[in-house]
Amino acid sequence: MAQFSIKSIGVIVKPHQPDALETLCRLTKWLSERGIAFVGPPDIERERIEHETGCSVEIVSEEELRDASI
């Protein structure tokens, strides 16, 4: 059986859900500890997420999100 190595992950978040950004931050930290990048589309509210949580999100193009090789 082939093994796969996860390098990045994308998540869809409801930004106005009360705990969504905090959950996103915890997930980002957990992924980072395992060498996995958290990426988001160009329209993600990166500045708001970083300001409210202190967690960073790498922005990638829509095409890159669809590409399994990122």
Side-chain angles (χ1 to χ4, degrees):
M1 180 184 290
Q3 286 190 316
F4 298 97
S5 177
I6 298 172
K7 296 177 185 150
S8 61
I9 185 170
V11 178
I12 298 173
V13 177
K14 293 181 178 180
H16 302 294
Q17 193 72 13
D19 295 324
L21 293 182
E22 184 57 37
T23 300
L24 177 67
C25 186
R26 288 195 315 265
L27 176 61
T28 300
K29 289 177 182 176
W30 186 88
L31 292 168
S32 178
E33 291 168 358
R34 288 152 180 81
I36 302 170
F38 177 78
V39 300
D43 61 347
I44 195 169
E45 297 179 40
R46 188 181 94 203
E47 291 83 12
R48 178 175 166 232
I49 292 169
E50 291 178 356
H51 175 73
E52 292 184 20
T53 68
C55 294
S56 63
V57 177
E58 178 184 346
I59 302 301
V60 297
S61 70
E62 296 287 339
E63 293 79 27
E64 288 175 301
L65 284 175
R66 290 188 295 264
D67 182 0
S69 66
I70 61 169

Coordinates of all heavy atoms in Angstrom, one line a residue:
M1 N 0.8 -1.2 0.0 CA 0.0 0.0 0.0 C 0.9 1.3 0.0 O 1.8 1.3 0.7 CB -0.9 0.0 1.2 CG -1.8 1.2 1.3 SD -2.8 1.3 2.8 CE -3.9 -0.1 2.5
A2 N 0.6 2.2 -0.8 CA 1.3 3.4 -0.9 C 1.0 4.3 0.3 O -0.1 4.4 0.8 CB 1.0 4.2 -2.2
Q3 N 2.1 5.0 0.7 CA 1.9 6.0 1.8 C 2.0 7.4 1.2 O 2.8 7.6 0.3 CB 3.0 5.9 2.9 CG 2.8 4.7 3.8 CD 3.8 4.7 4.9 OE1 4.9 5.0 4.8 NE2 3.2 4.5 6.1
F4 N 1.2 8.3 1.7 CA 1.2 9.7 1.3 C 1.7 10.6 2.4 O 1.4 10.4 3.5 CB -0.2 10.1 0.9 CG -0.8 9.3 -0.3 CD1 -1.6 8.2 0.0 CD2 -0.4 9.5 -1.6 CE1 -2.1 7.4 -1.1 CE2 -0.9 8.8 -2.6 CZ -1.7 7.7 -2.4
S5 N 2.4 11.6 2.0 CA 2.9 12.6 2.9 C 2.1 13.9 2.7 O 2.1 14.5 1.7 CB 4.3 12.8 2.7 OG 4.8 13.8 3.5
I6 N 1.4 14.3 3.8 CA 0.6 15.6 3.7 C 1.6 16.8 3.9 O 2.4 16.8 4.8 CB -0.4 15.6 4.8 CG1 -1.4 14.5 4.6 CG2 -1.2 17.0 4.8 CD1 -2.4 14.3 5.7
K7 N 1.6 17.7 2.9 CA 2.4 18.9 3.0 C 1.7 20.1 3.3 O 2.2 21.1 3.8 CB 3.2 19.0 1.6 CG 4.1 17.8 1.4 CD 4.7 18.0 0.0 CE 5.6 16.7 -0.2 NZ 5.7 16.4 -1.6
S8 N 0.4 20.2 2.9 CA -0.4 21.3 3.1 C -1.9 20.9 3.3 O -2.3 19.8 2.9 CB -0.3 22.4 2.0 OG -0.7 21.8 0.8
I9 N -2.7 21.8 3.9 CA -4.1 21.5 4.1 C -4.8 22.8 4.0 O -4.3 23.9 4.3 CB -4.3 20.8 5.5 CG1 -5.8 20.4 5.7 CG2 -3.9 21.7 6.6 CD1 -6.0 19.6 6.9
G10 N -6.0 22.7 3.4 CA -6.9 23.9 3.3 C -8.2 23.6 4.1 O -8.6 22.4 4.1
V11 N -8.8 24.6 4.7 CA -10.0 24.5 5.4 C -10.9 25.6 5.1 O -10.5 26.7 4.9 CB -9.7 24.6 7.0 CG1 -10.9 24.5 7.8 CG2 -8.7 23.5 7.4
I12 N -12.2 25.2 5.0 CA -13.2 26.2 4.8 C -13.8 26.6 6.1 O -14.2 25.7 6.9 CB -14.3 25.7 3.8 CG1 -13.7 25.4 2.4 CG2 -15.5 26.7 3.7 CD1 -14.7 24.7 1.5
V13 N -13.8 27.9 6.4 CA -14.3 28.3 7.8 C -15.4 29.3 7.6 O -15.3 30.2 6.7 CB -13.1 29.0 8.5 CG1 -13.5 29.5 9.8 CG2 -11.9 28.0 8.7
K14 N -16.3 29.3 8.5 CA -17.4 30.3 8.6 C -16.8 31.4 9.5 O -16.8 31.2 10.7 CB -18.7 29.7 9.1 CG -19.3 28.7 8.3 CD -20.6 28.3 9.0 CE -21.4 27.3 8.1 NZ -22.6 26.9 8.7
P15 N -16.3 32.5 8.9 CA -15.6 33.5 9.7 C -16.4 34.2 10.7 O -15.9 34.7 11.7 CB -15.1 34.5 8.6 CG -15.9 34.3 7.5 CD -16.4 32.8 7.5
H16 N -17.7 34.1 10.6 CA -18.6 34.8 11.6 C -19.1 33.9 12.7 O -19.9 34.3 13.5 CB -19.7 35.6 10.9 CG -19.1 36.6 9.9 ND1 -18.4 37.7 10.3 CD2 -19.2 36.6 8.5 CE1 -18.0 38.3 9.2 NE2 -18.5 37.7 8.1
Q17 N -18.7 32.6 12.6 CA -19.1 31.6 13.6 C -18.3 32.0 14.8 O -17.1 32.2 14.7 CB -18.8 30.2 13.1 CG -19.4 29.1 13.9 CD -20.9 29.0 13.7 OE1 -21.5 29.6 12.8 NE2 -21.5 28.2 14.6
P18 N -18.9 32.0 16.0 CA -18.2 32.5 17.2 C -16.8 31.9 17.5 O -15.8 32.6 17.8 CB -19.1 32.1 18.4 CG -20.5 32.1 17.7 CD -20.2 31.6 16.3
D19 N -16.6 30.6 17.4 CA -15.3 30.0 17.7 C -14.5 29.6 16.5 O -13.4 29.0 16.6 CB -15.5 28.8 18.6 CG -16.1 29.1 19.9 OD1 -15.8 30.2 20.5 OD2 -16.9 28.4 20.4
A20 N -14.9 30.0 15.3 CA -14.2 29.6 14.1 C -12.8 30.0 14.0 O -11.9 29.2 13.7 CB -15.0 30.0 12.8
L21 N -12.5 31.3 14.3 CA -11.1 31.8 14.2 C -10.2 31.2 15.2 O -9.0 30.8 14.9 CB -11.1 33.3 14.2 CG -11.7 34.0 13.0 CD1 -11.5 35.5 13.2 CD2 -11.1 33.5 11.7
E22 N -10.7 31.0 16.4 CA -9.9 30.3 17.5 C -9.6 28.9 17.1 O -8.5 28.4 17.3 CB -10.6 30.4 18.8 CG -9.7 29.9 19.9 CD -8.4 30.5 20.1 OE1 -8.3 31.8 19.9 OE2 -7.4 29.8 20.4
T23 N -10.6 28.2 16.6 CA -10.4 26.8 16.1 C -9.4 26.8 15.0 O -8.5 25.9 15.0 CB -11.7 26.2 15.7 OG1 -12.6 26.2 16.8 CG2 -11.5 24.8 15.2
L24 N -9.5 27.7 14.1 CA -8.5 27.8 13.0 C -7.1 28.0 13.5 O -6.2 27.4 13.0 CB -8.9 29.0 12.1 CG -8.0 29.3 10.9 CD1 -8.1 28.1 9.9 CD2 -8.4 30.6 10.2
C25 N -7.0 28.9 14.5 CA -5.6 29.1 15.1 C -5.1 27.9 15.7 O -3.9 27.5 15.5 CB -5.7 30.2 16.1 SG -4.1 30.8 16.7
R26 N -5.9 27.2 16.5 CA -5.4 25.9 17.1 C -5.0 24.9 16.1 O -4.0 24.2 16.2 CB -6.5 25.3 18.1 CG -6.6 26.2 19.3 CD -7.4 25.4 20.4 NE -8.6 24.8 19.9 CZ -9.8 25.3 20.0 NH1 -10.0 26.5 20.4 NH2 -10.9 24.6 19.6
L27 N -5.8 24.8 15.0 CA -5.5 23.9 13.9 C -4.2 24.3 13.2 O -3.3 23.4 12.9 CB -6.6 23.8 12.9 CG -6.4 22.9 11.7 CD1 -6.1 21.5 12.1 CD2 -7.5 23.1 10.7
T28 N -4.0 25.5 13.0 CA -2.8 26.0 12.3 C -1.5 25.7 13.1 O -0.5 25.2 12.6 CB -2.9 27.6 12.1 OG1 -4.0 27.8 11.3 CG2 -1.6 28.1 11.5
K29 N -1.6 25.9 14.5 CA -0.5 25.6 15.3 C -0.2 24.1 15.3 O 0.9 23.6 15.3 CB -0.8 26.1 16.7 CG -0.7 27.6 16.9 CD -1.0 28.0 18.3 CE -1.0 29.5 18.3 NZ -1.4 30.0 19.7
W30 N -1.2 23.3 15.4 CA -1.1 21.8 15.4 C -0.4 21.3 14.1 O 0.5 20.5 14.1 CB -2.5 21.2 15.6 CG -2.4 19.7 15.8 CD1 -2.3 19.0 17.0 CD2 -2.6 18.7 14.8 NE1 -2.3 17.7 16.7 CE2 -2.5 17.4 15.4 CE3 -2.7 18.8 13.4 CZ2 -2.6 16.3 14.7 CZ3 -2.8 17.6 12.7 CH2 -2.7 16.3 13.3
L31 N -0.9 21.9 13.0 CA -0.3 21.5 11.7 C 1.1 21.9 11.6 O 2.0 21.2 11.1 CB -1.2 22.1 10.6 CG -2.6 21.6 10.4 CD1 -3.3 22.5 9.4 CD2 -2.5 20.2 9.9
S32 N 1.4 23.1 12.0 CA 2.8 23.7 12.0 C 3.7 22.8 12.8 O 4.9 22.6 12.3 CB 2.8 25.1 12.5 OG 4.1 25.6 12.5
E33 N 3.3 22.3 13.9 CA 4.2 21.4 14.7 C 4.5 20.1 14.0 O 5.5 19.5 14.3 CB 3.5 21.1 16.0 CG 3.4 22.3 17.0 CD 2.4 22.0 18.1 OE1 1.8 20.9 18.2 OE2 2.3 22.9 19.0
R34 N 3.7 19.8 13.0 CA 3.9 18.6 12.2 C 4.5 18.8 10.8 O 4.5 17.9 10.0 CB 2.6 17.8 12.2 CG 2.2 17.2 13.5 CD 0.8 17.0 13.7 NE 0.5 16.4 15.0 CZ 0.5 17.1 16.2 NH1 0.7 18.4 16.2 NH2 0.2 16.5 17.3
G35 N 4.9 20.1 10.6 CA 5.5 20.4 9.3 C 4.5 20.5 8.2 O 4.9 20.4 7.0
I36 N 3.2 20.8 8.5 CA 2.2 20.9 7.5 C 1.8 22.3 7.4 O 1.5 23.0 8.4 CB 1.0 20.0 7.8 CG1 1.4 18.5 8.0 CG2 -0.1 20.1 6.8 CD1 0.3 17.6 8.6
A37 N 1.7 22.9 6.2 CA 1.4 24.3 5.9 C -0.2 24.4 5.9 O -0.9 23.5 5.4 CB 1.9 24.8 4.6
F38 N -0.7 25.5 6.5 CA -2.1 25.8 6.3 C -2.2 26.9 5.2 O -1.5 27.9 5.3 CB -2.6 26.4 7.6 CG -4.1 26.8 7.5 CD1 -5.1 25.9 7.5 CD2 -4.4 28.1 7.4 CE1 -6.4 26.2 7.4 CE2 -5.7 28.5 7.2 CZ -6.7 27.6 7.2
V39 N -3.0 26.6 4.2 CA -3.1 27.5 3.1 C -4.6 28.0 2.9 O -5.5 27.2 3.3 CB -2.6 26.9 1.8 CG1 -1.1 26.6 1.9 CG2 -3.4 25.7 1.4
G40 N -4.7 29.1 2.3 CA -6.1 29.6 2.1 C -6.1 30.3 0.7 O -5.1 30.7 0.1
P41 N -7.3 30.5 0.2 CA -7.5 31.2 -1.1 C -7.3 32.7 -1.0 O -7.2 33.2 0.1 CB -9.0 30.9 -1.4 CG -9.6 30.8 0.0 CD -8.6 30.1 0.9
P42 N -7.1 33.3 -2.1 CA -6.8 34.8 -2.1 C -7.9 35.6 -1.4 O -7.5 36.7 -0.8 CB -6.8 35.1 -3.6 CG -6.5 33.8 -4.3 CD -7.1 32.8 -3.4
D43 N -9.1 35.1 -1.3 CA -10.1 36.0 -0.7 C -10.3 35.7 0.8 O -11.2 36.3 1.4 CB -11.5 35.8 -1.4 CG -12.0 34.3 -1.3 OD1 -11.2 33.4 -1.0 OD2 -13.1 34.1 -1.7
I44 N -9.4 34.9 1.4 CA -9.5 34.6 2.9 C -9.1 35.9 3.6 O -8.3 36.7 3.1 CB -8.6 33.5 3.3 CG1 -9.0 33.0 4.7 CG2 -7.2 33.8 3.2 CD1 -8.4 31.7 5.1
E45 N -9.7 36.2 4.7 CA -9.4 37.4 5.4 C -8.2 37.2 6.3 O -8.2 37.2 7.5 CB -10.6 37.7 6.3 CG -11.9 38.0 5.6 CD -13.1 38.3 6.5 OE1 -12.9 39.0 7.5 OE2 -14.2 37.9 6.2
R46 N -7.0 37.1 5.6 CA -5.8 36.8 6.2 C -5.4 37.8 7.3 O -5.0 37.5 8.4 CB -4.6 36.7 5.2 CG -3.3 36.2 5.8 CD -2.2 36.1 4.8 NE -1.5 37.4 4.9 CZ -0.8 37.9 3.9 NH1 -0.7 37.3 2.8 NH2 -0.1 39.0 4.1
E47 N -5.5 39.1 7.0 CA -5.1 40.1 8.0 C -6.0 40.0 9.2 O -5.5 40.2 10.3 CB -5.2 41.5 7.3 CG -4.2 41.8 6.3 CD -4.6 41.3 4.9 OE1 -5.7 40.9 4.7 OE2 -3.7 41.2 4.0
R48 N -7.3 39.8 9.0 CA -8.2 39.7 10.2 C -7.8 38.5 11.0 O -7.8 38.6 12.3 CB -9.6 39.6 9.7 CG -10.6 39.4 10.8 CD -12.0 39.5 10.3 NE -12.9 39.0 11.4 CZ -13.8 38.0 11.3 NH1 -14.0 37.5 10.1 NH2 -14.5 37.6 12.3
I49 N -7.6 37.3 10.4 CA -7.2 36.1 11.1 C -5.9 36.3 11.9 O -5.8 36.0 13.1 CB -7.1 34.9 10.1 CG1 -8.5 34.6 9.5 CG2 -6.5 33.7 10.8 CD1 -8.4 33.6 8.4
E50 N -4.9 36.9 11.2 CA -3.6 37.1 11.9 C -3.8 38.1 13.0 O -3.2 37.9 14.1 CB -2.6 37.6 10.9 CG -2.2 36.5 9.9 CD -1.2 36.9 8.8 OE1 -0.8 38.1 8.8 OE2 -0.8 36.0 8.1
H51 N -4.6 39.2 12.8 CA -4.8 40.2 13.9 C -5.5 39.6 15.1 O -5.1 39.8 16.2 CB -5.5 41.4 13.3 CG -5.9 42.4 14.3 ND1 -4.9 43.2 14.9 CD2 -7.0 42.7 14.9 CE1 -5.5 44.0 15.7 NE2 -6.8 43.7 15.8
E52 N -6.6 38.9 14.8 CA -7.4 38.4 15.9 C -6.8 37.1 16.6 O -7.2 36.9 17.8 CB -8.8 38.1 15.4 CG -9.6 39.3 15.0 CD -11.0 39.1 14.6 OE1 -11.6 38.0 15.0 OE2 -11.6 39.9 13.9
T53 N -6.0 36.4 15.9 CA -5.5 35.1 16.5 C -4.0 35.0 16.7 O -3.5 34.2 17.5 CB -5.9 33.9 15.7 OG1 -5.2 33.9 14.4 CG2 -7.4 33.9 15.4
G54 N -3.3 35.8 15.9 CA -1.8 35.8 15.9 C -1.3 34.6 15.1 O -0.1 34.4 15.0
C55 N -2.2 33.9 14.4 CA -1.8 32.8 13.5 C -1.7 33.3 12.1 O -2.5 34.0 11.6 CB -2.8 31.7 13.6 SG -2.8 30.9 15.3
S56 N -0.7 32.7 11.4 CA -0.6 33.1 10.0 C -1.2 32.1 9.0 O -1.2 30.9 9.3 CB 0.9 33.4 9.6 OG 1.6 32.2 9.8
V57 N -1.6 32.6 7.9 CA -2.2 31.7 6.9 C -1.5 32.1 5.6 O -1.4 33.2 5.2 CB -3.7 32.0 6.7 CG1 -4.3 31.2 5.6 CG2 -4.4 31.7 8.0
E58 N -0.9 31.0 4.9 CA -0.3 31.2 3.6 C -1.4 31.4 2.5 O -2.3 30.5 2.5 CB 0.6 30.1 3.3 CG 1.3 30.2 1.9 CD 2.1 28.9 1.6 OE1 2.4 28.1 2.5 OE2 2.5 28.8 0.4
I59 N -1.3 32.4 1.7 CA -2.3 32.6 0.6 C -1.8 32.0 -0.6 O -0.6 32.2 -1.0 CB -2.5 34.1 0.4 CG1 -3.0 34.8 1.7 CG2 -3.5 34.3 -0.7 CD1 -4.3 34.2 2.3
V60 N -2.6 31.2 -1.3 CA -2.3 30.6 -2.6 C -3.4 30.8 -3.6 O -4.5 31.1 -3.2 CB -2.0 29.0 -2.4 CG1 -0.8 28.8 -1.6 CG2 -3.2 28.3 -1.9
S61 N -3.1 30.7 -4.8 CA -4.1 30.9 -5.9 C -5.1 29.8 -5.9 O -4.9 28.7 -5.3 CB -3.5 31.0 -7.2 OG -3.0 29.8 -7.6
E62 N -6.3 30.1 -6.5 CA -7.3 29.1 -6.6 C -6.8 27.8 -7.3 O -7.1 26.7 -7.0 CB -8.5 29.6 -7.4 CG -9.2 30.8 -6.7 CD -10.1 30.3 -5.5 OE1 -10.4 29.1 -5.4 OE2 -10.3 31.2 -4.6
E63 N -5.9 28.1 -8.3 CA -5.4 27.0 -9.1 C -4.5 26.1 -8.2 O -4.5 24.9 -8.3 CB -4.6 27.5 -10.3 CG -5.4 28.1 -11.4 CD -5.8 29.6 -11.1 OE1 -5.1 30.2 -10.3 OE2 -6.9 30.0 -11.5
E64 N -3.7 26.7 -7.4 CA -2.8 26.0 -6.5 C -3.6 25.2 -5.5 O -3.2 24.1 -5.1 CB -1.9 26.9 -5.7 CG -0.8 27.5 -6.6 CD 0.1 28.5 -5.9 OE1 -0.5 29.5 -5.4 OE2 1.3 28.3 -5.8
L65 N -4.8 25.7 -5.0 CA -5.6 25.0 -4.1 C -6.1 23.7 -4.7 O -6.3 22.7 -4.1 CB -6.8 25.8 -3.6 CG -6.5 26.9 -2.6 CD1 -7.7 27.7 -2.3 CD2 -6.0 26.2 -1.3
R66 N -6.4 23.8 -6.0 CA -6.9 22.6 -6.7 C -5.8 21.6 -7.1 O -6.0 20.4 -7.3 CB -7.6 23.0 -8.0 CG -8.9 23.7 -7.7 CD -9.7 23.9 -9.0 NE -9.1 24.8 -9.9 CZ -9.3 26.1 -10.0 NH1 -10.2 26.6 -9.2 NH2 -8.7 26.9 -10.9
D67 N -4.5 22.1 -7.1 CA -3.4 21.3 -7.4 C -2.9 20.5 -6.2 O -2.5 21.0 -5.2 CB -2.2 22.2 -7.9 CG -1.0 21.4 -8.4 OD1 -1.1 20.2 -8.3 OD2 -0.1 22.0 -8.8
A68 N -2.9 19.2 -6.3 CA -2.6 18.3 -5.2 C -1.1 18.4 -4.9 O -0.6 17.8 -3.9 CB -3.0 16.9 -5.5
S69 N -0.3 19.0 -5.7 CA 1.2 19.0 -5.5 C 1.7 20.2 -4.7 O 2.9 20.3 -4.4 CB 1.9 19.1 -6.9 OG 1.7 20.3 -7.5
I70 N 0.8 21.0 -4.1 CA 1.3 22.2 -3.3 C 1.7 21.7 -2.0 O 1.3 20.7 -1.5 CB 0.3 23.3 -3.2 CG1 -1.0 22.9 -2.5 CG2 0.0 24.0 -4.6 CD1 -1.9 24.0 -2.2

